[in-house]
Each structure stands twice: as C-alpha cells, then as structure tokens.
Amino acid sequence: MSTLLAGLTLLIIGDSHVTFKDSLLNILPEAYTQAGAKVVTYGVCSSTAADWVVPNPNNGCGAYTRVGAEPVTAPSMVPTAPPPIASLIEKWHPDVVMVVLGDTMAAYGQAEISKNWADEQVKTLTMSLNNTACVWIGPTWGEYSPRYAKTDKRAQEMATFLKDEVSPCTYIDGTKLMQPGAPKTIDGVHLTPASYKIWGAGIVQQTLPVLEKLRKK
C-alpha cells in the first residue's frame, strides 16, 4: 500500500468501460486505493456526459456502484439513470472527479460526429462540477464490428475533439496509451480482460502524477 494519494477522495464516473467485471471497474479503483486514495466508482452503460447532469432513464444495459476496492459482482440490469453529478459531489465531497467517457458520443456508424451536440454534452458536465478538479479519460482504439461500427479513424477523431473540449479537466488521450490495432475486443468496443489490463495500466501511469499534484493543492 502506497501513501502517494493519501487523503485524496476520487470519484470515478463513466460508461460501460467502468460498469462490468474485468473492465476498468476492476483496475482503476484498485490501483488508486492501493495508492492511498478513497475511491468511489459509478458506471452506467451507454451513458453520455449530459446524462450525468440531467439523468436519462433509458440507459438499461447495466449499472454499477463500487466503493473502494470491494469485490465486483454482477451489475444491476434494471434500466438506470446515472445519479446527477451534483448529488454525487454533495454526497462524497471528492477532491477530483475522473470521467471515463467518449465512445458513447462518437457516433460510430454515422457519417460524422455531431460536434455541436457533443460540445453541449461535454460542457453540460464540465460546467456542473462545481469547481471540483477533473481528469477526463478519452476512448482507446477498438476493432470494427457490425454491432458498433467503431473505426480507428473515428476513435482518433473523437479523441482529438475531446482534447479541445474538456477544459478545465486534465485530458488523458486513450489512443496514446496503446497502439492502433493492439486492443483486442469482445464486440468491437469493449475490450478483453487482458486488453483492459493494458489500457488500465496506461491510464494509471498517466494519471498518478496528475492526481498527486492535485492532492497537494
């Protein structure tokens, strides 16, 4: 157990990448807890950024809340709206909010990303953080499948778009943490457990110095 992040309370919110067992839901909370932080994680499958401000009850593909590094079990499959970020900040008083979002706003399979819509999504969330420090994790590469139609070109486009949108959050570009074609997936978007470990390790490596700096503020 490290004391690198001792005294830091970290709230992680995100989409399906932090909702299911053997995903980032396992990796990130355990790593930050080991570093001494208090960590609370909320994942809602298919959620977009604005859903965490104005809850959308149509997200029915899974939800999970993990406090610390408690054992991960099966997610709730009841249609669930993300809890409003204002209520989570009031409940947990985080020093930092970590957002794991990007794929659900990338319009895979469509001709283009709706930049105005995506801008509104991101800004709705960042403007609702009540001056809480923020780190935003963007999407990584996937594999093409008819189900999601994710392509490396669109993943790169979304990653670049988010870089210029998520201020005042610190941005971690998921496409910089693995080589194109390196992640193996189960459906084109969601990674295999082995690939989640590699992506997660990259996220932890990039974010620990950022979180340590924020802890000292």
Side-chain angles (χ1 to χ4, degrees):
M1 181 104 175
S2 165
T3 59
L4 185 70
L5 302 182
L8 183 87
T9 299
L10 175 62
L11 171 64
I12 302 174
I13 64 171
D15 55 22
S16 52
H17 292 304
V18 289
T19 301
F20 299 103
K21 187 176 181 181
D22 296 325
S23 69
L24 298 179
L25 175 64
N26 288 76
I27 299 157
L28 301 185
E30 289 166 16
Y32 300 131
T33 298
Q34 281 290 319
K38 175 182 178 181
V39 186
V40 187
T41 307
Y42 288 80
V44 179
C45 179
S46 83
S47 60
T48 64
D51 291 342
W52 292 88
V53 181
V54 182
N56 175 4
N58 297 320
N59 291 305
C61 58
Y64 202 93
T65 302
R66 188 183 190 194
V67 178
E70 64 187 14
V72 177
T73 56
S76 167
M77 300 307 288
V78 176
T80 303
I85 188 64
S87 69
L88 295 180
I89 290 173
E90 182 179 0
K91 179 175 182 178
W92 297 106
H93 305 288
D95 300 293
V96 183
V97 174
M98 180 174 290
V99 180
V100 184
L101 285 171
D103 278 329
T104 56
M105 298 179 289
Y108 297 131
Q110 299 180 29
E112 60 185 17
I113 298 171
S114 173
K115 299 290 181 65
N116 289 337
W117 175 83
D119 172 75
E120 182 179 5
Q121 287 282 321
V122 172
K123 293 295 192 289
T124 297
L125 179 55
T126 57
M127 292 174 65
S128 301
L129 294 174
N130 196 27
N131 295 318
T132 305
C134 170
V135 178
W136 194 301
I137 313 299
T140 190
W141 312 105
E143 296 177 304
Y144 182 81
S145 75
R147 180 176 179 183
Y148 291 109
K150 181 173 182 175
T151 62
D152 284 350
K153 181 179 179 181
R154 180 58 57 83
Q156 179 70 75
E157 184 182 358
M158 190 64 191
T160 302
F161 172 78
L162 287 172
K163 180 180 179 181
D164 297 326
E165 289 290 317
V166 302
S167 177
C169 300
T170 299
Y171 183 57
I172 305 297
D173 187 341
T175 64
K176 303 292 188 185
L177 305 179
M178 302 176 77
Q179 293 295 316
K184 301 304 177 186
T185 73
I186 59 174
D187 56 14
V189 170
H190 303 97
L191 309 189
T192 63
S195 285
Y196 268 124
K197 287 181 180 179
I198 297 169
W199 186 29
I203 292 172
V204 171
Q205 183 181 37
Q206 291 293 312
T207 55
L208 278 177
V210 176
L211 295 174
E212 183 185 20
K213 184 177 179 180
L214 291 171
R215 181 186 70 86
K216 292 178 179 178
K217 283 189 175 182

